[in-house]
């Protein structure tokens, strides 16, 4: 079944991770023009196609929704104006990233309606409210698809130490020994076709092995799916013949599609298929067999209007300067398009060290630059995107 390359399997999963408030997508880069609302339309059309074939499609988010663009960072608390927009995305479950945990105020915003909006599907198995000791979200959920496939879904963050005081983060080595975890995997796991772990950690993080080993001790044969993140690249790994780990990029540069059929016997390997899709409208329309007239769904149009409203309110498209050429944040030092070279040879001497007394010191770190600066008009939003540390 399916069309233009989409062959529907028993289990079909779409993943976003580490979007870091890039709801407007990559406006400066060719081939990456789609925004968050376009991803919503894409998902809704795919869901309709899967339904037509009698197959279940799920949509998951592996965390780090805030901090990265002006949409999040031009407000008093990171993400306060976009959390209501993100909560309209039809994710089946969401987990929490480290960037949600740096400010007590961000936690207050999460607890002020965002977590509740997911109806028990905001999964934080090792993050608790420091004042109550209760988990920030829910420990796990069981999803039953329209076409009968069932998933046990758990959500975890790596063993984060440097979080704010409003939360506590438990070590996963301890969490897997807790009764709730063992019961969920042993009991709920018996009634589900696969176990999905939304884990905000690298695709091959040793902690995925801690989790996989713990799950395998209770469910030796059930397919295990890790939907990972945090390290901002496209990653894929099959740690055992019936387990898979997928990490779908960063900053809305990737939509990950993972699909597999359930084998007839417990001991057969699972044939996992994965596709990393770069979000642009032509690709989305080709895959979903839609046109510019039919692609935008009603919900997506409403989301586009909400994003535009926030951009306008925060004045993010106001022009603050002009770049004569593009400067890449990951270009080697000394390269003609190196953002670091521009900073060290031009910006620092002319701005921070002027007049130069020979006694100034600048201390920086490699995380100063979050993204590249592109030739042409530079907007207020661009200043936040390029560097949070140095933005106004």
């Amino acid at each position: 079944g399916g069309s233009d390359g989409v062959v529907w399997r028993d289990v079909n999963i779409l993943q976003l991770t580490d979007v870091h408030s890039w709801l407007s997508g990559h406006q400066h880069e060719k081939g990456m023009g789609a925004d968050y609302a376009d991803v919503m339309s894409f998902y809704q059309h795919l869901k309709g196609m899967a339904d037509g074939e009698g197959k279940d499609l799920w949509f998951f988010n592996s965390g780090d929704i805030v901090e990265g663009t002006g949409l999040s960072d031009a407000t008093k608390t990171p993400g306060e104006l976009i959390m209501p927009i993100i909560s309209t995305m039809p994710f089946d479950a969401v987990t929490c990233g480290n960037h949600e945990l740096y400010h007590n105020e961000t936690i207050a915003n999460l607890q002020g309606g965002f977590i509740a909006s997911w109806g028990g599907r905001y999964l934080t198995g090792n993050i608790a409210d420091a004042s109550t000791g209760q988990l920030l979200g829910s420990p796990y959920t069981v999803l039953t698809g329209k076409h009968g496939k069932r998933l046990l879904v758990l959500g975890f963050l790596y063993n984060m130490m440097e979080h704010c005081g409003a939360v506590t983060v438990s070590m996963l080595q301890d969490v897997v020994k807790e009764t709730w975890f063992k019961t969920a995997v042993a009991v709920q796991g018996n009634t589900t076709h696969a176990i999905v772990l939304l884990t905000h950690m690298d695709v091959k993080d040793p902690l995925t092995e801690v989790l996989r080993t713990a799950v395998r001790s209770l469910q030796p044969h059930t397919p295990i799916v890790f939907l990972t993140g945090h390290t901002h690249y496209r990653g894929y790994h099959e740690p055992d013949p019936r387990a898979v780990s997928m990490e779908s990029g960063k900053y809305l540069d990737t939509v990950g599609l993972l699909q597999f059929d359930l084998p007839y016997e417990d001991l057969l390997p699972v044939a996992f298929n994965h596709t990393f899709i770069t979000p642009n409208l032509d690709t989305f329309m080709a895959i979903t067999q839609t046109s510019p007239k039919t692609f935008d769904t009603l919900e997506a149009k409403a989301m586009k209007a909400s994003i535009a409203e926030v951009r306008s309110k925060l004045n993010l498209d106001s022009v603050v300067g002009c770049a004569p050429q593009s400067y890449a944040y990951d270009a080697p030092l000394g390269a003609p398009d190196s953002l670091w070279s521009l900073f060290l040879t031009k910006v620092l001497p002319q701005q921070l060290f002027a007049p130069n007394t020979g006694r100034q010191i600048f201390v920086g770190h490699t995380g100063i630059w979050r993204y590249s600066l592109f030739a042409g008009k530079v907007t207020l939003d661009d200043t936040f995107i390029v560097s949070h540390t140095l933005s106004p």
Side-chain angles (χ1 to χ4, degrees), residues 340-354 356 360-364 390:
W340 268 111
S341 293
L342 174 74
F343 183 66
L344 295 172
T345 61
K346 299 270 175 62
V347 180
L348 267 184
Q350 290 171 22
Q351 300 294 324
L352 258 65
F353 289 4
N356 190 355
Q360 298 103 322
I361 293 176
F362 173 80
V363 179
L390 306 171

Side-chain angles (χ1 to χ4, degrees), residues 2 5 28 42 72 95 117 119-120 146 152 169 180 205 209 213 217 274 288 306 332 335 378 386:
H28 295 297
F42 180 56
S72 159
T95 195
S117 74
K146 184 174 167 182
L152 168 62
V169 176
W180 76 261
D205 192 302
E209 276 303 289
T213 306
S217 70
H274 75 287
T288 57
S306 299
V378 176
V386 169

Side-chain angles (χ1 to χ4, degrees), residues 179-252:
T179 309
W180 76 261
F181 177 85
K182 290 181 175 175
T183 306
V185 174
V187 180
Q188 305 292 343
N190 275 348
T191 68
T192 51
H193 295 94
I195 296 171
V196 175
L197 295 104
L198 304 182
T199 48
H200 192 79
M201 61 187 71
D202 185 74
V203 64
K204 289 185 181 177
D205 192 302
L207 290 170
T208 60
E209 276 303 289
V210 170
L211 289 163
R212 189 186 67 85
T213 306
V215 171
R216 276 280 172 260
S217 70
L218 298 162
Q219 296 293 350
H221 308 301
T222 307
I224 299 173
V225 176
F226 286 96
L227 298 175
T228 59
H230 186 57
T231 40
H232 293 189
Y233 65 101
R234 295 177 175 184
Y236 183 80
H237 175 51
E238 294 183 17
D240 78 36
R242 297 171 68 88
V244 67
S245 185
M246 179 176 82
E247 178 172 350
S248 303
K250 65 180 187 306
Y251 304 165
L252 206 70

